[in-house]
Amino acid sequence: MELMKLLFPLVFFLLARLSGANFVGSVPRNITSMFTFGDSYIDTGNFVIMAKTVSFPVLNDKPPYGMTFFGRPTGRFSDGRVIIDFIAGKFGLPFLPPSLANSSDISQGVNFAVGGATAIEVGFYERNNLVPFKLLNNSLDVQLGWFEELRPSLCSSTTGGSRECFGKSLFMVGEFAVNDYSFFFMANKTEAEVRSYVPKVVKTIALAVERLINDDGAEFVVVPGNPPIGCSPAILTLRQTTNAASYDRTGCLRDVNGVVVYHNTLLHAAVAGLRLKHPHATIVYADFYAPIRRILENPSEFGVAAGGSALKACCGTGGDYNWNGSAVCGMPGVAACPDPSAYVSWDGVHFTEAVNRYVAQGWLYGPYADPPILRAVQQH
């Protein structure tokens, strides 16, 4: 049994590197559509569409984004597929179209996630001078509004209301909050100050889940926590310090990850509370922190960064973490590594396709979800 536990991550990460292969096992048939909300970790093109309407800088529409699977940029912040692509595929669903693309076929789901999205409404950050620029209006509440605008057309053929319409739909609310906390830290807030905002952020996410259940008839909801952003090359570069005590044994920033762990603890507890209030709904907490830490702490098990640092970006340039804010992925002259699957970070902020696949696998089958998505679906 212990041997199997040790081999589990290695086997699935090796499968992840075979990017053209599908997950093993039969396709579950009791999910017929997916509706997803979040930020750049699962965006499939909304940011590119939204940003171009207001002349906001865009880089993920340029090579080498998309190089591994699609062979071209698709609006995803990765070298290939993102987490929801693998989850949709497991249920036999197509790639979810970005909601702002106004796709003619949305019967099997839509992705409302947008790069840069926050949990708290963007006006909060602008009013409190937490950001030096105007944000795109794409927060969690805004994305829910987009979904509710589409709901009548999605449910036009049903007679039993939203609950009947979405009874076989999987909803994913998140990941949210990475941008919220990043804005606080970039505004030079201390760990204690950022932690003070965590209950507000978690409450916002919990209320959104409840809104989907109460108002929109959602019966199956996945709520991911945050990844360890204190390990991301961009944050490590921006907050680099000579104080060795600021780093843990993996080389990640203690204060940033301390906030993330606090967030995940409160969010997991909030999910437990929602289950008690809504026993008819199935709510999964998806752990985004543990799988990333597992790879970073055991890079050789996963074939990651052989001869280099697991904390370096694949696509970037310069410095200890191969990330430079003045020359980021997508800019002219910024190259990607030959083998993205040997890296955790794709562009200094987002993950490679291989990592996205490993996380999706852990959410579907365990051990990185409470309960694993496929088990929850079968019991629903």
Side-chain angles (χ1 to χ4, degrees):
M1 188 67 177
E2 290 302 313
L3 179 61
M4 287 302 294
K5 286 181 180 178
L6 291 171
L7 290 177
F8 177 86
L10 177 60
V11 169
F12 280 121
F13 203 77
L14 288 174
L15 287 174
R17 298 186 70 164
L18 301 174
S19 60
N22 291 317
F23 288 149
V24 294
S26 60
V27 177
R29 297 293 181 185
N30 43 347
I31 291 294
T32 59
S33 59
M34 277 180 63
F35 300 95
T36 52
F37 309 86
D39 59 21
S40 54
Y41 287 115
I42 63 168
D43 186 359
T44 56
N46 281 318
F47 174 78
V48 172
I49 297 168
M50 192 175 199
K52 287 184 175 180
T53 63
V54 292
S55 300
F56 202 87
V58 179
L59 291 173
N60 65 311
D61 64 339
K62 301 173 180 63
Y65 282 92
M67 60 178 275
T68 295
F69 181 78
F70 300 98
R72 60 180 176 80
T74 63
R76 289 165 173 79
F77 290 81
S78 181
D79 60 304
R81 291 164 287 186
V82 294
I83 292 170
I84 60 168
D85 292 327
F86 294 109
I87 294 176
K90 182 59 187 175
F91 289 106
L93 301 174
F95 293 128
L96 301 185
S99 61
L100 298 179
N102 297 317
S103 173
S104 58
D105 184 8
I106 57 174
S107 61
Q108 292 182 285
V110 185
N111 182 18
F112 299 92
V114 193
T118 54
I120 301 172
E121 51 93 16
V122 298
F124 172 84
Y125 297 97
E126 295 170 349
R127 290 191 303 273
N128 290 283
N129 298 315
L130 292 166
V131 289
F133 47 83
K134 186 162 183 63
L135 298 171
L136 295 176
N137 190 24
N138 54 20
S139 66
L140 173 52
D141 183 69
V142 170
Q143 292 180 31
L144 288 176
W146 293 341
F147 167 70
E148 287 165 357
E149 287 176 13
L150 275 182
R151 185 176 58 191
S153 59
L154 290 164
C155 299
S156 59
S157 60
T158 61
T159 57
S162 293
R163 200 159 303 284
E164 179 184 325
C165 177
F166 298 120
K168 293 185 177 180
S169 300
L170 183 152
F171 288 82
M172 182 177 291
V173 182
E175 167 281 324
F176 276 101
V178 162
N179 290 308
D180 298 76
Y181 301 138
S182 295
F183 291 151
F184 290 132
F185 276 116
M186 286 190 293
N188 293 318
K189 299 293 183 183
T190 65
E191 179 185 0
E193 288 174 320
V194 180
R195 283 173 70 96
S196 70
Y197 290 101
V198 173
K200 177 181 176 69
V201 171
V202 170
K203 183 178 179 181
T204 302
I205 297 169
L207 288 173
V209 174
E210 199 154 34
R211 177 171 159 184
L212 284 169
I213 294 169
N214 286 336
D215 299 348
D216 302 313
E219 294 191 15
F220 190 94
V221 187
V222 177
V223 186
N226 281 189
I229 57 174
C231 304
S232 74
I235 294 293
L236 284 165
T237 301
L238 292 170
R239 296 178 63 82
Q240 194 163 11
T241 174
T242 56
N243 181 9
S246 297
Y247 300 92
D248 63 21
R249 60 189 175 86
T250 312
C252 302
L253 288 164
R254 294 181 185 276
D255 60 346
V256 177
N257 281 347
V259 170
V260 172
V261 170
Y262 181 47
H263 168 91
N264 290 342
T265 300
L266 291 191
L267 185 63
H268 201 168
V271 166
L274 288 170
R275 289 177 185 145
L276 293 175
K277 290 179 68 175
H278 305 282
H280 67 279
T282 299
I283 310 172
V284 171
Y285 173 77
D287 188 343
F288 207 163
Y289 190 92
I292 306 301
R293 290 291 311 203
R294 180 68 187 269
I295 300 169
L296 291 173
E297 291 171 3
N298 306 276
S300 61
E301 281 187 36
F302 298 90
V304 166
S309 171
L311 296 174
K312 285 188 175 183
C314 165
C315 182
T317 179
D320 292 339
Y321 306 103
N322 199 38
W323 189 87
N324 179 341
S326 300
V328 296
C329 192
M331 286 184 173
V334 179
C337 61
D339 181 11
S341 69
Y343 284 73
V344 175
S345 178
W346 160 244
D347 58 6
V349 177
H350 310 98
F351 301 113
T352 59
E353 177 183 91
V355 169
N356 288 332
R357 183 169 186 150
Y358 175 65
V359 173
Q361 188 76 27
W363 291 0
L364 285 163
Y365 288 93
Y368 303 123
D370 173 28
I373 293 172
L374 291 180
R375 186 196 306 165
V377 167
Q378 291 162 0
Q379 294 173 349
H380 183 70

